Amino acid sequence: MNERINSVRAAFLAALGRATTEADLDQVRVQFLSRSGAIANFFEEMRSIPVAEKPEMGKLLNILKSDAQAAFDEKKGALSASEVSGSGPIDLSLPGRPRPVGTKHPLTQTIDDIKRIFVSMGFSVATGPEIETDYYNFGALNFPHDHPARDMQDTFFISKEILLRTHTSPVQIRTMEKQRPPVREIMPGRVYRNEAVSARSLVSFYQIEGLYVDHGVTFSDLKGTLVAFARQFYGKDVKLKFRPTFFPFTEPSADMYISCFLCKGKGCRMCKQAGWLEILGSGMVHPHVLKNVGYDTEKYTGFAFGMGIERTASLRYGVDDLRLYYENDVRFLRQF
Ligand code: DAH
């Protein structure tokens, strides 16, 4: 009987192992655990074995019965859990499902980095409307009435007076109208120009504008601030230079250049053999501009600057076609 108990135990465990559905499980129950099943039959047989063997056999049978019931209950629990998840038994060796993680667009990253540097120097961030009036975009910024920048060729006019801003400089005017000095703001945003789209120019792009007006702001403050910015943004070892230029809203005005990172100043395709790359325009705010917002030009002076974001990002990442930023090709975007 001892041997037969062991073989029933083995047969039961094998049948339980093969069971994959509720129906299989019920068959196992009928065959082994029901009142007429194999285990119950052993208890029947107990009646006819010699009295001396009864305690020993009884003990073995009770162990068999309780082990079998426990194994059965466990299997039943596992089966119903996997049926709830609807996919059969769980395969713990399957690889996890990857969750795709997005990244910030390279232009957004560039704007964020520029903002972070100026905010650390005490600048705040301001924005203004993309649809502007002729006054904010040109007039208040000291553009003469016959200035070529007002031409239909560059500007998208909505009506005679209303247009899509061609630069972020009008936000300077809006900021100063709302606020007395000290004014220390940077102003990122989208601008529009009526130009043919090519690798080097777009009809819409981003700029970031800067403005600092207070008592006794000088050209040295301009240089110190912009040099500190360029060292942080382009690297400590970058060579810098300023070159005089003209803007209606600044006097004097200066473009800032960095040494070409590709050829280290020797001259190459990137810098058009110049060895230098222009990175921004700047200057001391023209007294006419300060007067237009009602600032006392005897008391206050200031500097301003502006840079194109696509160009800045391209210098940093070595992108040679500005259109790539707007095609949303993930093979391009994944590289940043
Ligand atoms: N608004 C100029 C442009 O679109 C850039 C610029 C130059 C902004 C000099 C300034 C500045 O604030 O001082 O080309």
Side-chain angles (χ1 to χ4, degrees):
M1 192 166 169
N2 211 336
E3 264 168 43
R4 284 193 297 124
I5 290 174
N6 282 337
S7 77
V8 164
R9 176 189 287 270
F12 167 77
L13 290 175
L16 197 63
R18 281 193 303 272
T20 55
T21 63
E22 292 279 345
D24 294 348
L25 213 55
D26 203 51
Q27 251 183 11
V28 175
R29 187 188 60 76
V30 170
Q31 198 185 341
F32 294 94
L33 300 172
S34 68
R35 272 194 211 161
S36 55
I39 293 171
N41 285 343
F42 282 128
F43 282 98
E44 273 308 305
E45 278 185 46
M46 283 281 285
R47 296 169 196 246
S48 53
I49 64 169
V51 178
E53 292 177 20
K54 278 191 181 179
E56 180 64 25
M57 280 302 142
K59 201 171 149 196
L60 281 177
L61 280 180
N62 280 327
I63 291 171
L64 172 66
K65 191 183 170 191
S66 68
D67 283 358
Q69 190 64 51
F72 182 86
D73 291 344
E74 192 184 325
K75 175 83 182 196
K76 192 170 176 174
L79 213 58
S80 66
S82 70
E83 262 168 24
V84 168
S85 74
S87 55
I90 298 168
D91 182 352
L92 294 175
S93 69
L94 283 175
R97 288 194 195 97
R99 285 169 190 262
V101 179
T103 55
K104 282 190 180 170
H105 191 279
L107 295 179
T108 308
Q109 287 182 37
T110 304
I111 294 173
D112 285 351
D113 290 345
I114 296 170
K115 276 203 269 192
R116 195 177 319 117
I117 293 170
F118 282 104
V119 166
S120 78
M121 295 194 236
F123 284 74
S124 317
V125 181
T127 55
E130 291 173 23
I131 298 173
E132 267 298 5
T133 61
D134 185 276
Y135 176 72
Y136 283 102
N137 198 80
F138 295 125
L141 288 162
N142 199 36
F143 280 80
H145 267 289
D146 54 359
H147 194 282
R150 296 192 188 215
D151 204 300
M152 292 296 285
Q153 307 239 313
D154 299 310
T155 308
F156 286 114
F157 282 94
I158 293 169
S159 68
K160 199 165 168 292
E161 284 299 317
I162 311 290
L163 48 82
L164 297 181
R165 68 179 178 192
T166 59
H167 53 178
T168 43
S169 303
V171 190
Q172 289 188 29
I173 305 297
R174 291 184 177 275
T175 302
M176 289 190 283
E177 279 181 348
K178 277 191 286 218
Q179 213 177 311
R180 297 284 99 191
V183 172
R184 217 186 279 116
E185 302 277 344
I186 46 164
M187 302 154 251
R190 201 164 191 168
V191 303
Y192 300 84
R193 284 191 201 172
N194 191 357
E195 282 177 47
V197 173
S198 72
R200 289 168 175 276
S201 68
L202 300 167
V203 281
S204 168
F205 54 98
Y206 282 83
Q207 287 189 337
I208 195 160
E209 191 84 11
L211 176 69
Y212 177 28
V213 182
D214 201 354
H215 292 286
V217 175
T218 67
F219 199 85
S220 300
D221 295 317
L222 178 158
K223 279 175 80 177
T225 305
L226 295 180
V227 166
F229 158 74
R231 294 238 161 92
Q232 277 191 61
F233 189 82
Y234 289 104
K236 277 201 299 294
D237 303 325
V238 78
K239 277 206 244 156
L240 302 161
K241 73 171 182 183
F242 287 87
R243 202 175 75 168
T245 185
F246 173 80
F247 298 106
F249 39 91
T250 48
E251 181 60 36
S253 308
D255 284 330
M256 186 175 173
Y257 292 76
I258 57 169
S259 51
C260 180
F261 49 83
L262 205 65
C263 63
K264 304 270 175 278
K266 285 193 213 74
C268 68
R269 187 181 55 87
M270 182 88 191
C271 57
K272 292 193 225 133
Q273 310 308 322
W276 295 93
L277 297 161
E278 188 212 311
I279 58 167
L280 55 82
S282 67
M284 300 306 291
V285 181
H286 199 292
H288 289 178
V289 174
L290 296 177
K291 280 206 186 97
N292 287 338
V293 296
Y295 283 8
D296 184 344
T297 54
E298 296 293 317
K299 279 199 196 143
Y300 299 114
T301 52
F303 70 77
F305 57 91
M307 65 189 114
I309 300 301
E310 284 76 0
R311 190 180 154 73
T312 304
S314 291
L315 293 179
R316 190 182 215 197
Y317 299 124
V319 173
D320 59 5
D321 189 332
L322 300 185
R323 291 170 292 193
L324 288 166
Y325 291 115
Y326 292 93
E327 282 167 2
N328 283 336
D329 185 331
V330 288
R331 290 167 301 180
F332 172 75
L333 296 173
R334 275 211 186 99
Q335 299 173 63
F336 301 95

